[in-house]
C-alpha cells in the first residue's frame, strides 16, 4: 500500500468507529468492482447493479461486520486494561514493600477499626434487633392494656416479657373470651412463665424452667416440632392428661438427645406428665433473652404451681393478670376494628370484676411482637449504646489515621507524579496507579479486619458468658451486613485519601514541583496546604480519644466506687445456695422442720462457722418490698419498706451488728407460723365465698384481735425514718391500709423486737432504705453458710446433706457471696473492661496519627533543619521546634475533646455511681495522661530531627 | 475442515467450502498485505479462474480471522488513492497456515487414493 500522508492520520482522531469502517471497506470493494466492470465495457449504471448483485446480501454482511467489529474492540480494550492493571499492581506492591512500616500500620489500623466495629455491632444486633424465631412475625401482635387510673386490687404477675411502657399480662378468662373471636384472629395464644419446677424422672431431681402455653400456641406462633408432636388444644383442658414438650436445647443437655425421651414420663413438682414432643432447635423464647426448658399447657397451672400462685383459681379469676396474649390477625381485618372489639370485651370484664370503673376507660392496643417483647434487652440497651458510640469513635479515628498516613505519603511523591505527567501519562492513568496502592492497602486491611471481626466476636461472647453466670441467652454471630458496612467505609476512606492528591494537581504546578527538590520549602503552596489538613486530622483524632478516655475513666471509677462500698455485712467466705421445698409439696410446718434440721447439720460441718437462711440472698439483684401503715398516721397513708424474711442466727451469720433489742428466738418463729396460718385460712375462706357469690363479702373486723402481731427486726434507716423521736423497741405498726372490698382479712400488724445495722439489699448501687426483717415461714430459702476458708470446699458436703435429708430436693444457684456480687454487677464490670479497651485503642491510634504526622514533617523539613544546624542551632532548639508543633496539636485536640466529652457524658449518668458525668478529676487525669502519651509520640520524631547531619541534609535533593 | 455440502453452478466453477476459505485467505496474504478486493483477484488468478470467491462470504471470513488474532488490519490508501483496509498475516496466522496446509495435503492425498483406485481393496486377513 502507498504511504499515508500526514493529514490522513487525523482521520481516526476521535477514535475508531466500527460501523463506518465496515461501510467504508465494503464501499471500496464495490467501487473497485464497478471500475473493473466499466473497464470491461459495462455501462456505469449496469456496472453498479452487477457489482451489487455479485456481492450478495450487502446489508447482512454489513451487520455481521459491525457485530464482529464490536467483539474485536471489546477484546482489545480488556487486554489493554488488564495489562495496565497488572503493571500497576506490581508497582504498588513494590512501593509498599519499600515502606513496610507505613503499610503495616495502615493495614492494622484499618483492620482494628473494622474488627472492633463488626464485633460490637454484631453483639448489639444479636441483643437488640434479633429477628424472632417465628413464622411471619409481622402479623403477630401482643396485647397491651392501659387505663387512666391504676387498677384496684389487681394481682399481676409480670415475668419480664414486656418492654417499658407496656402492660402485657392479662387474665385467663379474658384470654378465653378473645380466643373465641375467630372472625378477627386466625390464632390466639397465651403464654406465661417460665416457672421453676422440680423436674424428676430423669436422674436425680433437678430444677427446670417450664413455660405455660395455651393449646394453640404452637400453631399460632408457627413453632414446629423436631420429634413427636406439639401441644394442641386437646391438651389444654382441665381434664386432659398432663403432657409437656421439651425445648431442643434442654433435651440435648438434660436427656443427652436421647430419642426415647419422647413418650417417657416425668414428674413436675410431683405431678406426672408425659413428654410428647421436642421443639425445633433454635427457638428459645418469644421474648429475647429468655429461655425455657419445656412447654406445658395452661390448664396445668393449678396442678403444677409456684408458691406465689396463692389460693385463687387464676384460670377463672378475672382479677389475676398473668398470661401474655400473642395473636395473629386475619388478613384483611382492620387493626382499629379488631382493637375496639377486644377492648370492649376487656372493658366489660374488668368493670364487672371492679378492677376499673367506666371513667378509667381501659383499652387494649396491639403492639407488634418485636416492639412489645423486649425482655432483657431493655436493661442492656443503654450500656450497648455507650459501647456503640465508643466504637464509632474508634472507627472514625482509624479512618482519619489512615487518611492522614496516605496523604502524608502521597505528598512525598508529588515529584514523581509531576514527572509522570510530563512524560505523557494521562490523568486517569495516574489516578489509577495511585488508587491501586490505596485499594491494595484497603483490601489488606479489610481481609485482616474480617479475621479480627471473627476473633472479636468470639472474644466478646466468651467475655460476656463468663461473667453472666448462666448460659448467655443471645447468640452473637458476626453480622455480615455490619461487616460489609465497615469494610465499605474503610475502603472508601482508603480510596478517597489516595485520590485526594491527584484532585489538586494541575498542569501549571508541574514545572514548579519538578524544580523543587524533595525537601521542599515548608509552607510552600502545596505542602503547606496538605500540612494543615494533616493537622486537622490529628486534632480530630486526639479529641475523639479524649471523649472515649473520659467515658472509660468515668466507668472505671464507677466500678472502683462500687467495690469500695461497705455493704453492711461481711461478704467474705460466705456460701450461698437456694432450696425450694414447695416444689416437693412440703407444707409450712414440714418446711420449718426441714430448715431447722438442715441448719443444724450444716452448722455441724467441719469448717462451717455458722449457717442461716433468708428468702432472698443479699446483693443478688432481687428484693421485696411492702407498704405498712404506721400507728398514728393518716388513714390510707402508707409507708414503704423493704422486707426480708430470715431464719435464726441470720444476723450473726452475716455479721450484721445488732444495735438494740434482741434477735429472733424460737418463740418468734412459732408465733409467726401461727399468725401466717390463720391469715391464710381466712384468705382462703374469703376467696371461696367471693368467687362463688360475686358479691363483696362483709368485712370481718371482728377477727382482728385473734392473732399476735408478727415480730420484726428493723434496720437503722427504718428507725430513723419512721420512729425518729421514739425508741422503736416494742412499738407496733400495721399492715397496709387499703380498700380491698373483694377480700378483707384481719391483719395483726408487726411489733418491733430489735434494731440492726443498715445493709445494702438488692445491689451495691441502690440507696439503703428502711428494711424490716421477719421470721421466715413457708417460703423457699437461700442458705448462707459462713465458712472458715474457701466456701466452695463445702459444696459437696452440703449436697450430700441435702440429698440424704430428702432426695427429691435439688439445690440451685450455688455460689459464694463474692461471686454473687460480681454477677449482680456484671454490667458495670463489662462496661468498665470494654470501655478501657476502647480507650487504649483510641489513644494508641491517635498517637500513631500524631507520630506519623510529625515524622512526615521532620522528613520534609530535613533540609531546613540541616541549615539551621549549620547556622548554629542547638539540638535543644530543633527538638523544641518539633515538640512545640506536636504539643500544640495535642493541646488543641484535648480542649476540643473536653468540650465534646462535656456534652456527651451526660447521657451516661444512669450508669455511673458516685461520680458525676462532669467529674473534674477524671477530666484532668485524662488530659494529663493523653498529653504525656502524646509527648512520647512526639519524642521519637523530635529525636530524629536532632540526629540530622547537616552536611547530608544540605546535599540531599 | 468439514465439507458443508457443495453444488456445482451452471457456469461449472467450483463454489467454496467455508474452512477452505480461511486457509486460502491466509495463503493469499503470505506475500504482503492486501485489501479484500485484491485477495479475491489473487486467488482467482492463482487458480487460473477456477476458484471464484463468493464476495458475501469473504469479508465475514476476514473479520473472523482478525478477531481470532490470525490477521491484523490497517487502514491505508489503495492504488487509486481510495481509503481501503489492508490485512496482514500475524505470526499466529502463519502457524495456523502451516498446520492447515499439512492437513489439507493429507486429506487431498487420501481422497486421491480412493478416487484413483483401479481395483477394489484386498480382503482383510482374518486373524
Amino acid at each position: 500500500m502507498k504511504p499515508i500522508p500526514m493529514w490522513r492520520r487525523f482521520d481516526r482522531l476521535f477514535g475508531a468507529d466500527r460501523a463506518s469502517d465496515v461501510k467504508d471497506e465494503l464501499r471500496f470493494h464495490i467501487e473497485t468492482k464497478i471500475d473493473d466492470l466499466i473497464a470491461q465495457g459495462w455501462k456505469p449504471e449496469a456496472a453498479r447493479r452487477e457489482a451489487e448483485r455479485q456481492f450478495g446480501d450487502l446489508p447482512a454482511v454489513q451487520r455481521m461486520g459491525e457485530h464482529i467489529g464490536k467483539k474485536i474492540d471489546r477484546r482489545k480494550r480488556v487486554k489493554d486494561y488488564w495489562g495496565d492493571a497488572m503493571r500497576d499492581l506490581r508497582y504498588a506492591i513494590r512501593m509498599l514493600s519499600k515502606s513496610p512500616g507505613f503499610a503495616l500500620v495502615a493495614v492494622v489500623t484499618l483492620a482494628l477499626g473494622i474488627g472492633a466495629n463488626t464485633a460490637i455491632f454484631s453483639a448489639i444486633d444479636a441483643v437488640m434487633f434479633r429477628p424472632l424465631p417465628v413464622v411471619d412475625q409481622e402479623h403477630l401482635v401482643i396485647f397491651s392494656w392501659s387505663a387512666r387510673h391504676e387498677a384496684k386490687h389487681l394481682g399481676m404477675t409480670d415475668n419480664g416479657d414486656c418492654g417499658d411502657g407496656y402492660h402485657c399480662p392479662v387474665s385467663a378468662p379474658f384470654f378465653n373470651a378473645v380466643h373465641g373471636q375467630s372472625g378477627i384472629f386466625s390464632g390466639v395464644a397465651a403464654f406465661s412463665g417460665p416457672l421453676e419446677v422440680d423436674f424428676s424422672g430423669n436422674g436425680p431431681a433437678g430444677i427446670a424452667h417450664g413455660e405455660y402455653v395455651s393449646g394453640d400456641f404452637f400453631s399460632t406462633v408457627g413453632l414446629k416440632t423436631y420429634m413427636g408432636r406439639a401441644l394442641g388444644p386437646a391438651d389444654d383442658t382441665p381434664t386432659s392428661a398432663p403432657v409437656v414438650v421439651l425445648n431442643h436445647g434442654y433435651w440435648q443437655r438434660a436427656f443427652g438427645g436421647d430419642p426415647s425421651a419422647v413418650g417417657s414420663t416425668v414428674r413436675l413438682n410431683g405431678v406426672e406428665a408425659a413428654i410428647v414432643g421436642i421443639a425445633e432447635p433454635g427457638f428459645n423464647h418469644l421474648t429475647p433473652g429468655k429461655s425455657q426448658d419445656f412447654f406445658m399447657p395452661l390448664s396445668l397451672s393449678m396442678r403444677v404451681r409456684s408458691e406465689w400462685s396463692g389460693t385463687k383459681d387464676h384460670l377463672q379469676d378475672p382479677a389475676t393478670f398473668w398470661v401474655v396474649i400473642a395473636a395473629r390477625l386475619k388478613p384483611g381485618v382492620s387493626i382499629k376494628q379488631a382493637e375496639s372489639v377486644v377492648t370492649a370485651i376487656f372493658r366489660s370484664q374488668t368493670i364487672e370484676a371492679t378492677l376499673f370503673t367506666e371513667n378509667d376507660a381501659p383499652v387494649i392496643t396491639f403492639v407488634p411482637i418485636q416492639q412489645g417483647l423486649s425482655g432483657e434487652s431493655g436493661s442492656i440497651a443503654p450500656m450497648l449504646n455507650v459501647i456503640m458510640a465508643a466504637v464509632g469513635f474508634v472507627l472514625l479515628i482509624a479512618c482519619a489515621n489512615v487518611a492522614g498516613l496516605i496523604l502524608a505519603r502521597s505528598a512525598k511523591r508529588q515529584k514523581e507524579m509531576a514527572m509522570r505527567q510530563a512524560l505523557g501519562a494521562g490523568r486517569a492513568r495516574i489516578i489509577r496507579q495511585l488508587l491501586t496502592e490505596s485499594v491494595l492497602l484497603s483490601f489488606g486491611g479489610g481481609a485482616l479486619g474480617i479475621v479480627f471481626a471473627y476473633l472479636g466476636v468470639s472474644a466478646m461472647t466468651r467475655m460476656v458468658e463468663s461473667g453472666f453466670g448462666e448460659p448467655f441467652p443471645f447468640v452473637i454471630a458476626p453480622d455480615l451486613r455490619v461487616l460489609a458496612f465497615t469494610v465499605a467505609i474503610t475502603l472508601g476512606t482508603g480510596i478517597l485519601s489516595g485520590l485526594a492528591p491527584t484532585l489538586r494537581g494541575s498542569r501549571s504546578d508541574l514545572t514548579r514541583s519538578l524544580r523543587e527538590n524533595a525537601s521542599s520549602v515548608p509552607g510552600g503552596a502545596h505542602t503547606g496546604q496538605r500540612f494543615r489538613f494533616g493537622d486537622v486530622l490529628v486534632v480530630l483524632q486526639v479529641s475523639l480519644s479524649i471523649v472515649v478516655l473520659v467515658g472509660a475513666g468515668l466507668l472505671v471509677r464507677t466500678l472502683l466506687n462500687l467495690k469500695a462500698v461497705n455493704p453492711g455485712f461481711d461478704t467474705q467466705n460466705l456460701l450461698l445456695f437456694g432450696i425450694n421445698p414447695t416444689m416437693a409439696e412440703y407444707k409450712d410446718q414440714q418446711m420449718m422442720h426441714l430448715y431447722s434440721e438442715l441448719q443444724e447439720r450444716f452448722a455441724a460441718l467441719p469448717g462451717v462457722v455458722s449457717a442461716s437462711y433468708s428468702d432472698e440472698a443479699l446483693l443478688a439483684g432481687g428484693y421485696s418490698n411492702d407498704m405498712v401503715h404506721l400507728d398514728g398516721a393518716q388513714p390510707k397513708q402508707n409507708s414503704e419498706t423493704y422486707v426480708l424474711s430470715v431464719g435464726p442466727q441470720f444476723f450473726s451469720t452475716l455479721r450484721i451488728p445488732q444495735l438494740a433489742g434482741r434477735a429472733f428466738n424460737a418463740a418468734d418463729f412459732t408465733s409467726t407460723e401461727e399468725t401466717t396460718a390463720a391469715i391464710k385460712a381466712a384468705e382462703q375462706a374469703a376467696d371461696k365465698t367471693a368467687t362463688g357469690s360475686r358479691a363483696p363479702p362483709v368485712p370481718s373486723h371482728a377477727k382482728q384481735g385473734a392473732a399476735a402481731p408478727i415480730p420484726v427486726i428493723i434496720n437503722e434507716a427504718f428507725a430513723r425514718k419512721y420512729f425518729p423521736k421514739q425508741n422503736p423497741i416494742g412499738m407496733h405498726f400495721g399492715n397496709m391500709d387499703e380498700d380491698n372490698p373483694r377480700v378483707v382479712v384481719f391483719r395483726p400488724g408487726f411489733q418491733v423486737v430489735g434494731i440492726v445495722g443498715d445493709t445494702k439489699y438488692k445491689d451495691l448501687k441502690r440507696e439503703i432504705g428502711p428494711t424490716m426483717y421477719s421470721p421466715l415461714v413457708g417460703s423457699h430459702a437461700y442458705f448462707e453458710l459462713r465458712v472458715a476458708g474457701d466456701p466452695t470446699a463445702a459444696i459437696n458436703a452440703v449436697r450430700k446433706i441435702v440429698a440424704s435429708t430428702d432426695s427429691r430436693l435439688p439445690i440451685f444457684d450455688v455460689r459464694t457471696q463474692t461471686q454473687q456480687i460480681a454477677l449482680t454487677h456484671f454490667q458495670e464490670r463489662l462496661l468498665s473492661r470494654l470501655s478501657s479497651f476502647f480507650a487504649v485503642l483510641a489513644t494508641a491510634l491517635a498517637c500513631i496519627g500524631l507520630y506519623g504526622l510529625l515524622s512526615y514533617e521532620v522528613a520534609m523539613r530535613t533540609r531546613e533543619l540541616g541549615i539551621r544546624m549549620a547556622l548554629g542551632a542547638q539540638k535543644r532548639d530543633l527538638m523544641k521546634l518539633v515538640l512545640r508543633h506536636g504539643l500544640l496539636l495535642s493541646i488543641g485536640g484535648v480542649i476540643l475533646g473536653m468540650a465534646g466529652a462535656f456534652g456527651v457524658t451526660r447521657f451516661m449518668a444512669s450508669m455511673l455511681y458516685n461520680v458525676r458525668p462532669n467529674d473534674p478529676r477524671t477530666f484532668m487525669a485524662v488530659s494529663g495522661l493523653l498529653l504525656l502519651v502524646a509527648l512520647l509520640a512526639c519524642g521519637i520524631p523530635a529525636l530524629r530531627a536532632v540526629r540530622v547531619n547537616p552536611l547530608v541534609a544540605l546535599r540531599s535533593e | 475442515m468439514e465439507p458443508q455440502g457443495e453444488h456445482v453452478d451452471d457456469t461449472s466453477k467450483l463454489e467454496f467450502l467455508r474452512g477452505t476459505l480461511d486457509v486460502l485467505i491466509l495463503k493469499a496474504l503470505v506475500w504482503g498485505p492486501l485489501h479484500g478486493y485484491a485477495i479475491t483477484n489473487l486467488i482467482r488468478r492463482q487458480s487460473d479462474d477456477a476458484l471464484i470467491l463468493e464476495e458475501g462470504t469473504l469479508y465475514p471470513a476476514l473479520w473472523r480471522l482478525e478477531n481470532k488474532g490470525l490477521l491484523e488490519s490497517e487502514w491505508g490508501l489503495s492504488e487509486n488513492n481510495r481509503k481501503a483496509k489492508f490485512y496482514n498475516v500475524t505470526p499466529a496466522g502463519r502457524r495456523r497456515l502451516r498446520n492447515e496446509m499439512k492437513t489439507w495435503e493429507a486429506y487431498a492425498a487420501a481422497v486421491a487414493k480412493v478416487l484413483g483406485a483401479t481395483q477394489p481393496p484386498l480382503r482383510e486377513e482374518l486373524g
Side-chain angles (χ1 to χ4, degrees):
Chain A
M1 56 185 179
K2 285 162 64 173
I4 304 178
M6 188 55 124
W7 67 270
R8 276 273 181 190
R9 291 181 191 264
F10 291 89
D11 199 18
R12 302 277 142 193
L13 186 61
F14 299 109
D17 177 0
R18 284 289 157 183
S20 58
D21 271 7
V22 168
K23 255 203 228 127
D24 290 345
E25 190 177 3
L26 297 178
R27 190 161 18 104
F28 168 79
H29 183 102
I30 300 284
E31 299 292 324
T32 318
K33 169 66 69 81
I34 291 174
D35 287 348
D36 280 355
L37 288 176
I38 291 178
Q40 287 173 21
W42 288 65
K43 292 272 182 13
E45 260 315 300
R48 177 168 289 276
R49 276 199 305 274
E50 174 65 12
E52 281 172 7
R53 184 201 71 89
Q54 281 193 14
F55 193 89
D57 189 349
L58 195 54
V61 173
Q62 188 150 332
R63 274 196 303 273
M64 224 189 299
E66 284 168 21
H67 180 67
I68 298 184
K70 282 200 199 106
K71 283 213 295 213
I72 297 181
D73 273 343
R74 246 201 316 260
R75 195 177 287 192
K76 192 158 174 296
R77 267 201 306 270
V78 167
K79 211 170 66 154
D80 283 346
Y81 181 77
W82 279 114
D84 284 343
M86 279 300 117
R87 222 168 321 156
D88 282 343
L89 192 64
R90 277 197 297 266
Y91 184 71
I93 294 179
R94 218 169 351 127
M95 291 304 283
L96 282 178
S97 30
K98 278 209 202 128
S99 8
F102 159 77
L104 193 67
V105 168
V107 165
V108 169
T109 307
L110 283 175
L112 281 174
I114 293 176
N117 237 298
T118 308
I120 296 296
F121 274 100
S122 306
I124 292 177
D125 194 53
V127 169
M128 295 188 38
F129 305 119
R130 187 184 68 137
L132 289 173
V134 297
V135 170
D136 193 14
Q137 67 180 56
E138 290 88 41
H139 295 116
L140 209 52
V141 295
I142 297 285
F143 284 18
S144 166
W145 60 266
S146 57
R148 287 207 205 108
H149 303 290
E150 292 282 330
K152 301 186 193 36
H153 51 266
L154 175 66
M156 179 140 105
T157 308
D158 193 334
N159 290 310
D161 291 293
C162 279
D164 284 337
Y166 299 118
H167 299 284
C168 294
V170 289
S171 69
F174 176 61
F175 162 66
N176 287 327
V178 173
H179 189 248
Q181 297 288 331
S182 53
I184 308 178
F185 300 107
S186 59
V188 184
F191 61 94
S192 178
L195 177 76
E196 273 183 4
V197 300
D198 188 2
F199 195 90
S200 58
N202 179 40
I207 304 273
H209 296 82
E211 184 86 6
Y212 292 118
V213 296
S214 62
D216 37 11
F217 177 81
F218 280 78
S219 55
T220 305
V221 159
L223 182 62
K224 300 193 195 14
T225 49
Y226 175 77
M227 268 183 72
R229 68 168 178 88
L231 294 179
D235 302 310
D236 195 18
T237 70
T239 51
S240 36
V243 292
V244 296
V245 170
L246 296 182
N247 190 19
H248 191 264
Y250 180 70
W251 175 55
Q252 295 285 343
R253 283 196 311 272
F255 288 80
D258 182 7
S260 69
V262 178
S264 63
T265 314
V266 289
R267 299 176 75 88
L268 314 169
N269 282 0
V271 175
E272 272 199 17
I275 301 178
V276 295
I278 315 282
E280 58 178 343
F283 183 83
N284 270 333
H285 197 279
L286 283 181
T287 308
K290 284 174 79 170
S291 71
Q292 73 286 308
D293 299 322
F294 63 92
F295 302 90
M296 51 184 165
L298 270 183
S299 57
L300 269 187
S301 64
M302 288 309 286
R303 284 173 275 175
V304 177
R305 38 195 300 165
S306 80
E307 52 191 316
W308 306 123
S309 307
T311 52
K312 306 198 184 113
D313 181 355
H314 44 259
L315 283 174
Q316 306 289 340
D317 181 20
T320 304
F321 284 12
W322 63 289
V323 291
V324 179
I325 297 187
R328 204 180 277 285
L329 285 167
K330 266 211 168 102
V333 173
S334 96
I335 296 185
K336 283 272 171 276
Q337 195 193 344
E339 275 178 351
S340 64
V341 168
V342 167
T343 297
I345 301 177
F346 184 65
R347 203 171 280 195
S348 81
Q349 271 199 5
T350 49
I351 290 179
E352 197 182 339
T354 64
L355 289 170
F356 292 116
T357 63
E358 278 288 341
N359 277 344
D360 297 330
V363 289
I364 297 270
T365 33
F366 296 161
V367 184
I369 196 168
Q370 181 107 14
Q371 196 184 327
L373 299 179
S374 65
E376 281 279 307
S377 55
S379 62
I380 307 186
M383 166 174 100
L384 292 176
N385 285 335
V386 164
I387 299 179
M388 211 158 56
V391 163
F393 283 156
V394 167
L395 185 66
L396 274 177
I397 297 180
C399 286
N401 222 327
V402 171
L405 284 172
I406 294 184
L407 281 176
R409 181 182 159 74
S410 58
K412 279 193 232 169
R413 299 170 62 189
Q414 191 63 10
K415 196 172 160 210
E416 177 200 334
M417 291 302 127
M419 188 95 68
R420 279 172 179 260
Q421 270 188 310
L423 287 175
R427 286 280 298 276
R429 191 80 180 69
I430 294 189
I431 288 177
R432 201 174 66 204
Q433 205 271 303
L434 281 178
L435 219 51
T436 311
E437 223 180 83
S438 333
V439 166
L440 196 58
L441 276 178
S442 306
F443 270 114
L448 194 60
I450 294 177
V451 170
F452 279 7
Y454 273 86
L455 287 178
V457 165
S458 62
M460 269 222 83
T461 313
R462 252 177 305 134
M463 175 165 55
V464 170
E465 267 177 2
S466 70
F468 217 73
E470 350 165 293
F472 189 59
F474 303 101
V475 170
I476 307 181
D479 185 329
L480 294 175
R481 285 170 307 164
V482 175
L483 192 57
F485 175 72
T486 46
V487 168
I489 290 216
T490 41
L491 272 186
T493 311
I495 292 176
L496 281 175
S497 328
L499 274 183
T502 57
L503 299 174
R504 244 179 297 203
S506 65
R507 283 212 169 238
S508 61
D509 292 338
L510 253 187
T511 33
R512 183 146 25 124
S513 28
L514 277 176
R515 246 188 277 132
E516 285 169 355
N517 28 34
S519 47
S520 35
V521 179
H526 354 265
T527 53
Q529 223 176 353
R530 211 158 292 117
F531 217 48
R532 282 204 288 278
F533 188 61
D535 290 353
V536 167
L537 281 180
V538 167
V539 168
L540 190 68
Q541 289 177 40
V542 171
S543 61
L544 287 174
S545 306
I546 290 278
V547 175
V548 180
L549 272 170
V550 166
L554 290 174
L555 289 170
V556 167
R557 282 198 63 186
T558 297
L559 190 64
L560 290 176
N561 286 344
L562 279 177
K563 286 204 175 141
V565 165
N566 175 15
F569 65 99
D570 185 354
T571 58
Q572 296 296 319
N573 298 336
L574 214 51
L575 182 66
L576 304 174
F577 54 91
I579 289 190
N580 195 347
T582 61
M583 292 184 203
E585 294 180 335
Y586 274 63
K587 298 288 172 277
D588 289 1
Q589 277 248 332
Q590 295 169 292
M591 271 197 271
M592 299 308 299
H593 284 144
L594 173 70
Y595 290 154
S596 64
E597 183 185 340
L598 284 175
Q599 189 185 8
E600 263 184 57
R601 294 182 68 179
F602 290 146
L605 279 175
V608 174
V609 174
S610 67
S612 182
Y613 50 93
S614 53
D615 73 340
E616 293 281 355
L618 290 181
L619 300 179
Y623 71 101
S624 313
N625 56 2
D626 202 358
M627 303 288 269
V628 295
H629 186 250
L630 300 169
D631 288 355
Q634 299 290 336
K636 305 285 179 299
Q637 196 184 50
N638 297 307
S639 317
E640 196 170 351
T641 172
Y642 289 120
V643 297
L644 184 68
S645 307
V646 299
Q649 279 116 52
F650 177 76
F651 302 103
S652 56
T653 304
L654 289 200
R655 305 209 176 130
I656 301 174
Q658 180 102 34
L659 299 177
R662 60 175 181 79
F664 290 130
N665 54 31
D668 293 325
F669 283 88
T670 324
S671 94
T672 308
E673 214 187 306
E674 285 166 3
T675 310
T676 317
I679 294 178
K680 241 193 220 171
E683 267 182 353
Q684 266 174 333
D687 276 344
K688 288 208 172 64
T689 46
T691 40
S693 66
R694 288 202 175 269
V698 176
S700 43
H701 292 291
K703 292 229 194 100
Q704 207 133 39
I710 296 179
V712 292
I713 296 181
I714 58 177
N715 69 349
E716 269 188 272
F718 195 110
R720 271 197 308 265
K721 186 164 183 197
Y722 296 136
F723 296 105
K725 297 190 187 64
Q726 317 147 304
N727 180 5
I729 310 283
M731 300 293 293
H732 174 275
F733 54 92
N735 303 95
M736 177 161 129
D737 189 4
E738 54 167 346
D739 271 335
N740 195 341
R742 277 194 77 246
V743 176
V744 174
V745 291
F746 67 96
R747 299 282 195 176
F750 310 97
Q751 184 148 33
V752 179
V753 303
I755 307 179
V756 291
D758 287 334
T759 60
K760 294 274 185 181
Y761 185 175
K762 172 180 191 265
D763 56 32
L764 290 170
K765 258 171 125 171
R766 205 174 255 241
E767 286 291 320
I768 295 181
T771 312
M772 86 180 184
Y773 303 90
S774 58
L776 190 150
V777 182
S779 140
H780 66 263
Y782 281 88
F783 272 81
E784 294 98 1
L785 263 54
R786 172 77 56 191
V787 181
D790 180 17
T792 51
I795 294 181
N796 280 334
V798 163
R799 279 193 203 274
K800 267 201 222 119
I801 292 180
V802 174
S804 69
T805 312
D806 184 343
S807 64
R808 289 174 304 160
L809 284 179
I811 66 174
F812 50 89
D813 285 352
V814 182
R815 38 180 86 111
T816 67
Q817 181 76 62
T818 342
Q819 286 173 344
Q820 176 65 71
I821 297 178
L823 214 73
T824 309
H825 290 283
F826 161 71
Q827 210 188 61
E828 286 85 355
R829 281 167 49 229
L830 182 67
L831 268 181
S832 167
R833 231 185 286 178
L834 274 182
S835 60
S836 309
F837 171 70
F838 284 117
V840 168
L841 189 62
T843 312
L845 287 176
C847 285
I848 291 177
L850 187 60
Y851 165 80
L853 183 75
L854 288 178
S855 301
Y856 156 74
E857 181 192 342
V858 167
M860 292 306 262
R861 294 169 71 174
T862 314
R863 194 154 174 256
E864 174 202 339
L865 293 173
I867 293 179
R868 283 179 188 256
M869 240 193 181
L871 289 178
Q874 297 298 329
K875 296 197 175 182
R876 217 180 37 237
D877 300 325
L878 291 180
M879 278 189 76
K880 256 202 286 194
L881 213 69
V882 176
L883 282 176
R884 186 165 9 144
H885 187 224
L887 278 178
L888 265 175
L889 290 180
S890 310
I891 292 177
V894 164
I895 294 179
L896 192 62
M898 290 287 150
F902 205 77
V904 161
T905 49
R906 77 183 63 181
F907 296 110
M908 281 173 54
S910 63
M911 281 174 264
L912 301 178
Y913 178 72
N914 254 5
V915 54
R916 279 179 305 140
N918 298 326
D919 181 50
R921 275 170 39 197
T922 312
F923 275 66
M924 289 298 128
V926 159
S927 326
L929 181 67
L930 190 85
L931 282 175
L932 193 66
V933 179
L935 196 67
L936 284 173
C938 301
I940 304 180
L943 284 174
R944 219 184 277 159
V946 155
R947 279 198 251 110
V948 164
N949 184 340
L951 290 176
V952 173
L954 284 171
R955 247 188 272 135
S956 76
E957 292 276 300
Chain B
M1 287 195 313
E2 279 170 23
Q4 303 243 343
E6 48 177 3
H7 66 275
V8 181
D9 80 5
D10 46 0
T11 59
S12 77
K13 296 202 168 49
L14 296 170
E15 295 275 6
F16 270 89
L17 312 170
R18 202 156 125 202
T20 328
L21 184 53
D22 286 357
V23 75
L24 287 174
I25 292 174
L26 287 172
K27 178 71 182 190
L29 293 173
V30 150
W31 292 291
L34 294 174
H35 54 68
Y37 193 77
I39 292 175
T40 58
N41 280 343
L42 185 145
I43 293 179
R44 188 172 46 80
R45 293 203 320 264
Q46 262 201 319
S47 68
D48 292 331
D49 283 350
L51 298 176
I52 298 188
L53 301 182
E54 170 141 1
E55 296 164 15
T57 58
L58 170 71
Y59 285 95
L62 284 170
W63 297 326
R64 270 194 296 270
L65 286 172
E66 185 185 0
N67 192 22
K68 287 192 207 146
L70 303 175
L71 297 180
E72 52 190 13
S73 66
E74 197 181 3
W75 282 92
L77 287 180
S78 71
E79 308 77 30
N80 38 9
N81 279 339
R82 281 220 193 86
K83 199 173 72 173
K85 200 172 198 190
F86 287 81
Y87 291 90
N88 208 347
V89 197
T90 62
R94 283 181 203 274
R95 275 198 299 276
R96 175 68 164 272
L97 177 60
R98 276 200 299 276
N99 289 338
E100 292 291 316
M101 276 172 67
K102 280 200 206 110
T103 318
W104 174 253
E105 279 158 6
Y107 173 74
V111 170
K113 243 193 246 171
V114 173
L115 293 180
T118 51
Q119 57 188 349
L122 298 169
R123 294 247 321 251
E124 275 180 275
E125 312 298 80
L126 297 170

